[in-house]
Amino acid sequence: GGGHECMAIVEKFLDLEGRMALQDLPKVVEHASVGERIEKMGNDYLTVRQIKGARRYNMCQILHSYNGEVAIRILKARLPATSADSVPLIDDKAISDEKVSGAPSVFLTMLAMFKGVERREAQWRKLLDDAGYRVNAL
């Protein structure tokens, strides 16, 4: 996206060492105003990440826009770039397995707008497991 999360991290952790990169579609990152500490790199979600072995890979509000099959492809495309020390961070919506109030309208909105889905906790766990990830926290 526009690099808002990258900027927030850089501003909050002034002594942060290493590289910070914003990766999104080339037409998106070319318009991002992120300052000089953040590299802008054009890439798509289904391509292996350009930076290999990063400590963190943050995916913010991406996967809910895609059905399970495409979301698994996106997740699997990131695995070759990771190392044993890498931690993928997924910042997305998760609806509690117990919560039912309002959920159907959210599901229908995501389906109609993006052919995507807002997932319940159990659905997230299955999706991540199917893509080869281990969940540390949800």
Side-chain angles (χ1 to χ4, degrees):
H4 302 92
E5 294 243 339
C6 293
M7 290 294 293
I9 291 168
V10 167
E11 290 171 5
K12 183 167 182 160
F13 302 100
L14 298 174
D15 297 332
L16 188 66
E17 294 181 17
R19 297 166 67 186
M20 171 74 70
L22 169 64
Q23 294 182 331
D24 205 326
L25 295 172
K27 64 182 180 183
V28 174
V29 296
E30 74 182 43
H31 298 292
S33 177
V34 293
E36 56 191 58
R37 286 193 59 196
I38 301 168
E39 297 175 55
K40 298 191 297 185
M41 305 173 110
N43 205 326
D44 69 62
Y45 299 136
L46 297 171
T47 304
V48 174
R49 301 289 82 184
Q50 296 163 323
I51 297 176
K52 309 266 192 273
R55 289 180 285 179
R56 303 285 184 268
Y57 291 94
N58 188 18
M59 293 188 293
C60 181
Q61 301 296 318
I62 296 170
L63 297 173
H64 72 271
S65 296
Y66 297 95
N67 65 38
E69 180 183 320
V70 176
I72 288 171
R73 288 178 47 214
I74 291 169
L75 289 164
K76 284 185 174 183
R78 281 156 174 68
L79 286 176
T82 62
S83 70
D85 297 328
S86 297
V87 177
L89 302 171
I90 300 170
D91 179 359
D92 219 314
K93 295 170 181 60
I95 298 173
S96 169
D97 286 332
E98 292 83 34
K99 183 178 179 179
V100 292
S101 174
S105 64
V106 172
F107 291 137
L108 292 174
T109 300
M110 288 305 297
L111 183 61
M113 291 177 63
F114 305 109
K115 295 184 183 169
V117 63
E118 295 296 359
R119 294 174 176 88
R120 295 188 177 277
E121 183 176 338
Q123 292 170 309
W124 272 111
R125 290 185 183 280
K126 180 173 180 356
L127 179 82
L128 294 167
D129 184 61
D130 289 349
Y133 285 70
R134 184 185 76 229
V135 177
N136 290 331
L138 191 66

